[in-house]
Every structure is written in structure tokens, then in C-alpha cells.
Amino acid sequence: MPVAAPAADGRQRASAAFSLSFLSLVFSITAFCSSYWCEGARKVAKPFCTGQSKGDHCIRFNSPDANNSNAVQYIWETGDDKFVDQRFHAGIWYSCEEIINEEGEKCRSFISLTPAADQGVLWLSIVAELLYIILLLIGAILMSVEICYYSSVMDGLKINAFSAVVTVLAGLLGMVAHMMYTTVFQMTVNLGPEDWRPHTWDYSWSYCLAWSSFACCMAAAVTTINKYTKTVLEFKHKREMLERNSKVNYKIPDHTAPEKSCNVYVNSFRNSTEDPAHPKRGLCHMATISVL
């Protein structure tokens, strides 16, 4: 039981690190492919109603109540009633806006909306996100190999160290990529095209999912490093215990061993000597001194 407990604890730590890394990978891929990093709205003028259009998203110019003073006043007033909020959502790849008075959305590339001076930063963000996902995948594969690897403890320790380094690098790349995209989006809000600039906006669920992926990645890295450190310390402790035991055995030798060797030697020597009064005690004493 004392031997199996550390192994079970190490297996639990490896499984926890793999679960966190896999969760981070799923979160990052979902956020990268989504267009809901940011959501907002911009005020646009209501179009005139055409055909069978109904609702409050258009102005009824040719209505039967055109002679009504309220209707005329409504047409010419310049307050907020002439405007409607056009919702939009944007991601790394494209931005989609709702079509007023119709169903569906129209989408366009977010790169085309970004100012020319910031397009290089956006491409760096995309490359960093791709590297982040690739390193997360490599780290998850290494952790899964470590869980299923039984042949050598030292090889498993090397795999553990390499997966920790890869996961830490992935976390750093993910953090840089998310921060660069945040900067690019804020610059696009201020300097982007007039027909896109939102009046109100906020970060959406994909943005939160991306940072959750970063948090899971760093948690997996910390768990892996903790497992590696604990294993190394256990090895050092066992080595120190072995060295201490060997030193104790060296300091307290078995003094009866020379006597035992001497008795064997004397018994064999007594059969071949011619002197029956051979001084055996002196021989044993000299043998003990020589052995010591």
C-alpha cells in the first residue's frame, strides 16, 4: 500500500492535467471558429416601408393615415424614433450584421474592416492563435502518452517535463494572441468604416471562452510541473535514504566476519600442519588484524 499510494496520486495528477489540457483545446477551437467575440449595435436611420413591410423598423410614408397630423409629425421628427438599433457580432474572421426589416444577416470579412495600419497585428494574432492550438494539441498528446506509458519511470518523467514546457509556451502564445485581438478590435471601433462603427458594444461568449481556454491551459501546466517536481523530490529523497543507509552499514561493520573467516582458514590449515601444538589463537589474531 505505501508503494501504490504515490503511483495512484501521480496517475490522478496526470489525468487532471490531461483533462484540463483537452478542455482548453476544445475551448480554443470553438472560440477561434466563432464570430461572437464581440457584440454590439449601431444606430441606423429607418428605411421607408415598402410593400407588405410591417413593424417599427420602417417609416410608413404612403400609409392611408398620411393626412393624420400625428403621422406627418412622425415623418418629420428628428428624434430617436427615426433610428433603429442594428445588431452585429464579430470574431477573428468575419463580422455579421442583421438586415433591418428582413430575416437573416449579411457578413463581411473582419480583416477588410480593420484599418490598414492594424492589419499586420491582426495577422500576428491569427498566427499566434493557430500556434496556440497546435501546441495545446501536442501537449494533450504527450499527456495522454504519459498516462498510458508504463515501461520506464525515467522516460515518463522526460515526457512529463516536455509536456509541461509545451503547455507553458502555449499559454503564453494564447495570452499574447487574445491581447492583440483586443487591441485590434478597439482600434477598428474607433477608426473602422463609418457604416460599421458600433455605438455600443461589449465582449461576448467566445471572448470569455478564449480566456477560459487560457486559464485551463495554465492550470494544466501548473499541474504538470507540480507532478514533475514532486516526482523529482521523491527520487532525491529515496536516493538520500539509500546513501544514508549505506553509510550506516559502512560505519558499523560485522566484526565477527574476520573471526568466522579465520575459523574456516584454521580448520583447513590444521589438517595439513605437522605440529599438533600449533598456536591457533595467534594465527586467528593475525588473520583478524590483516582482514581489518
Side-chain angles (χ1 to χ4, degrees), residues 1-14:
M1 290 298 294
V3 178
D9 182 66
R11 183 65 55 83
Q12 290 177 358
R13 290 174 184 269

Side-chain angles (χ1 to χ4, degrees), residues 144-191:
S144 64
V145 170
E146 180 190 357
I147 293 173
C148 303
Y149 202 78
Y150 298 100
S151 63
S152 174
V153 177
M154 293 305 298
D155 290 342
L157 196 62
K158 293 176 183 178
I159 294 174
N160 183 262
F162 191 62
S163 61
V165 172
V166 169
T167 309
V168 170
L169 289 177
L172 293 176
L173 277 174
M175 180 183 66
V176 171
H178 301 160
M179 292 178 66
M180 284 194 296
Y181 176 80
T182 303
T183 303
V184 169
F185 185 83
Q186 292 176 354
M187 294 299 295
T188 307
V189 168
N190 296 326
L191 303 175

Side-chain angles (χ1 to χ4, degrees), residues 192-245:
E194 289 287 345
D195 61 342
W196 180 84
R197 292 183 193 176
H199 291 83
T200 58
W201 63 276
D202 200 358
Y203 297 109
S204 187
W205 61 269
S206 291
Y207 187 80
C208 299
L209 203 64
W211 282 107
S212 299
S213 171
F214 167 75
C216 291
C217 174
M218 297 310 296
V222 170
T223 305
T224 307
I225 293 173
N226 181 266
K227 180 179 179 296
Y228 175 82
T229 306
K230 185 177 180 180
T231 306
V232 170
L233 291 177
E234 287 178 354
F235 274 120
K236 288 184 177 180
H237 178 70
K238 291 179 180 178
R239 187 181 65 181
E240 290 176 357
M241 292 298 295
L242 289 174
E243 290 178 354
R244 189 176 305 171
N245 293 333

Side-chain angles (χ1 to χ4, degrees), residues 15-42:
S15 300
F18 172 74
S19 301
L20 288 170
S21 181
F22 183 76
L23 197 63
S24 175
L25 179 63
V26 173
F27 284 173
S28 61
I29 293 175
T30 304
F32 186 70
C33 299
S34 172
S35 63
Y36 284 87
W37 285 61
C38 301
E39 286 184 293
R42 59 184 299 266

